Amino acid sequence: MAESSIRSGWRRYRSVPIIYRIGAAFVLGSIFGLLFGEQAAVLQPLGDLFVRLLQMIVVPIIIFTLMMGIRQLSPSTLGKVGAQVVGIYAITSMVAVFIGLTIANLINPGSGLQLTTAEADIEEAPNFLDVILGIVPENPIEAMATGDILATIFFVIVFALGLALVGESTDNERVREGVESIFNIMEAGAEALFKVVWGIMEYGVIGVFALMAGVFGEAGADALGPFLLLMATLALAVALHITIVYLGVIIAVLTQQSPIAFLSGIKEAMVTALSISSSSATLPVSMSNAEDNLRINEGIYGFSLPLGSTINMDGTAMYQGIVAIFAANIVGVQLTITEQLVVVAIAVLASIGSAGVPSAGLILLTLVLTQLGLPLEVIGFIAGVDPVLDRLRTMTNITGDLAVATLVGHWNGEVDFETGVWAGGNGIGEAIPSDD
Ligand code: ASP
């Protein structure tokens, strides 16, 4: 009797779409954190486990899907897709900083605040030239082992292109079969990992609850007070950027699709990014959404999403502009238009050159603030609330990656708009039926 009611309760629980369960965990975890304060930190390992599970499959999923993608694209298409992806990434990032600066100039966060000399534990921002050179790995195995995404993408593309060329040109039957087998193994591997993503998201209900409890337990409602205006500025800028640039221009106008369908197709990735504040660790979920829900060809998303997770960070770029104004207001100076244009340039370059990991945007502030001669102590000042702000930035970053993948997929005829969310489908793992 008891056993059967447990079983029916479990079945009922499982019948609620995963995104609602994770959404509820997000809200309840935040409330739990605010109620229990620092004690909520005991749950941290459960949250860390969720992030580790996702991180575990980032590198393999990039390798498998990218290999599959290259098999399907000709080298010339790959070049065209690459140029389109990088071009739009750069344009949207610039627009993001403009939006951030405009909203910050209107709201003026930081005015009236006193700078308490909080300890600033400031790491060095990456050097742009090193980032460019670092794209070519000295040792591909090391790049994969250390999770260096750009270097891994580079090697996988080069290797897969070599493999595809050998497959086309060889007279040796065994070699041709070998090439086919490698690609087939990659396809099977990618499918398997998408199934794993789905399993990880089931655990994510607990993971997200624990993560949100930890964040709000540590930040606490009181600590957030002085920063409410800064948060509101970022939230407004993010909302405008997502609505106007991604949903309006990219999805509705350029792709001619429903923004609601798009949002419904990427909700798991958005909530994951909000929960774990890392574009890179969100990649498996973004890829799964691109595959199952948005129905984009692997050839496009297998390439553009990993690349986007490190070079396309609109939320991060926008944040640089907003904090520049915030810092200027704290010390009571006015940034000139020229200085604000400098912010745009540095913010875009800095966001390209940094990894999609938690707090990357905080570290990049060193570049912007140093360039403008503003006090670096501001970074220490806002570090306490950065975990909250980071989530908004990361969610924006991955939404941008998925919007661009949809647009470039559309331009190249590589999205199946007849199925998935475009045709009213819903939910992660839908293409991979669960066996209860
Ligand atoms: N955490 C962000 C990301 O992974 C980067 C940032 O700190 O802004 O996309």
Side-chain angles (χ1 to χ4, degrees):
M1 177 66 196
E3 198 189 320
S4 81
S5 64
I6 290 176
R7 203 174 300 155
S8 79
W10 172 245
R11 209 166 293 139
R12 208 166 322 137
Y13 168 80
R14 287 286 308 273
S15 70
V16 177
I18 183 74
I19 186 65
Y20 295 136
R21 284 183 272 148
I22 291 195
F26 187 92
V27 175
L28 294 177
S30 309
I31 297 173
F32 185 90
L34 288 172
L35 289 179
F36 288 90
E38 286 186 4
Q39 284 165 333
V42 290
L43 296 178
Q44 194 61 36
L46 293 175
D48 292 343
L49 177 61
F50 179 49
V51 180
R52 287 183 78 102
L53 284 165
L54 286 170
Q55 279 169 335
M56 170 180 83
I57 57 171
V58 168
V59 171
I61 211 168
I62 291 177
I63 297 172
F64 295 159
T65 47
L66 195 48
M67 292 277 293
M68 286 304 305
I70 307 281
R71 180 197 220 178
Q72 291 161 20
L73 294 183
S74 66
S76 65
T77 313
L78 186 69
K80 193 171 88 186
V81 167
Q84 289 171 344
V85 166
V86 173
I88 310 177
Y89 281 167
I91 295 171
T92 52
S93 294
M94 255 181 305
V95 174
V97 192
F98 273 117
I99 293 181
L101 282 171
T102 309
I103 303 294
N105 277 307
L106 289 175
I107 295 186
N108 270 319
S111 44
L113 275 186
Q114 290 290 320
L115 191 65
T116 53
T117 32
E119 275 293 300
D121 182 13
I122 297 160
E123 288 180 46
E124 251 188 58
N127 172 319
F128 194 66
L129 244 177
D130 288 347
V131 173
I132 299 290
L133 263 182
I135 292 175
V136 181
E138 283 177 347
N139 177 346
I141 305 293
E142 186 191 0
M144 292 170 195
T146 54
D148 181 343
I149 292 183
L150 282 184
T152 302
I153 295 177
F154 184 83
F155 176 74
V156 174
I157 290 182
V158 171
F159 177 65
L161 281 177
L163 213 52
L165 288 177
V166 167
E168 275 169 21
S169 60
T170 184
D171 296 329
N172 184 330
E173 199 47 41
R174 261 185 311 133
V175 171
R176 200 190 338 264
E177 277 173 15
V179 169
E180 278 302 300
S181 304
I182 294 181
F183 279 127
N184 290 344
I185 288 170
M186 295 296 154
E187 187 169 357
E191 293 253 331
L193 285 181
F194 282 131
K195 219 165 170 48
V196 174
V197 173
W198 192 65
I200 295 175
M201 293 306 280
E202 284 291 332
Y203 173 70
V205 178
I206 297 173
V208 165
F209 181 92
L211 284 171
M212 296 319 293
V215 174
F216 280 97
E218 202 177 314
D222 297 345
L224 301 181
F227 300 98
L228 280 181
L229 215 48
L230 176 65
M231 292 176 169
T233 310
L234 182 65
L236 185 59
V238 158
L240 283 178
H241 189 65
I242 291 182
T243 311
I244 299 173
V245 179
Y246 302 153
L247 300 181
V249 177
I250 295 189
I251 299 299
V253 177
L254 296 176
T255 313
Q256 307 230 307
Q257 293 297 327
S258 149
I260 305 286
F262 173 75
L263 279 181
S264 132
I266 66 164
K267 53 193 181 312
E268 289 85 5
M270 288 178 92
V271 173
T272 306
L274 266 178
S275 310
I276 67 178
S277 50
S278 163
S279 303
S280 300
T282 306
L283 250 183
V285 185
S286 307
M287 286 184 153
S288 169
N289 278 173
E291 167 84 23
D292 291 349
N293 302 350
L294 300 179
R295 300 296 191 174
I296 305 171
N297 189 320
E298 264 161 339
I300 306 290
Y301 78 74
F303 163 74
S304 75
L305 292 182
L307 191 68
S309 77
T310 108
I311 75 166
N312 184 44
M313 302 201 192
D314 294 359
T316 307
M318 162 184 280
Y319 183 64
Q320 311 297 308
I322 293 174
V323 176
I325 304 281
F326 177 77
N329 281 338
I330 286 184
V331 292
V333 296
Q334 192 89 38
L335 293 184
T336 63
I337 295 289
T338 321
E339 281 170 325
Q340 299 204 20
L341 288 176
V342 170
V343 173
V344 175
I346 305 179
V348 172
L349 288 177
S351 69
I352 290 175
S354 97
V357 294
S359 296
L362 195 66
I363 296 163
L364 293 183
L365 286 172
T366 51
L367 290 181
V368 176
L369 297 182
T370 309
Q371 180 68 33
L372 298 174
L374 291 169
L376 290 182
E377 283 76 11
V378 170
I379 299 175
F381 191 49
I382 55 178
V385 287
D386 194 64
V388 179
L389 303 177
D390 197 358
R391 280 147 220 278
L392 285 179
R393 305 198 295 265
T394 312
M395 184 194 68
T396 314
N397 294 346
I398 65 99
T399 305
D401 297 342
L402 283 155
V404 174
T406 309
L407 176 61
V408 173
H410 164 65
W411 277 343
N412 292 278
E414 301 285 355
V415 188
D416 180 2
F417 288 116
E418 306 300 317
T419 56
V421 280
W422 312 115
N426 191 21
I428 197 171
E430 192 186 45
I432 312 158
S434 76
D435 26 10
D436 266 315

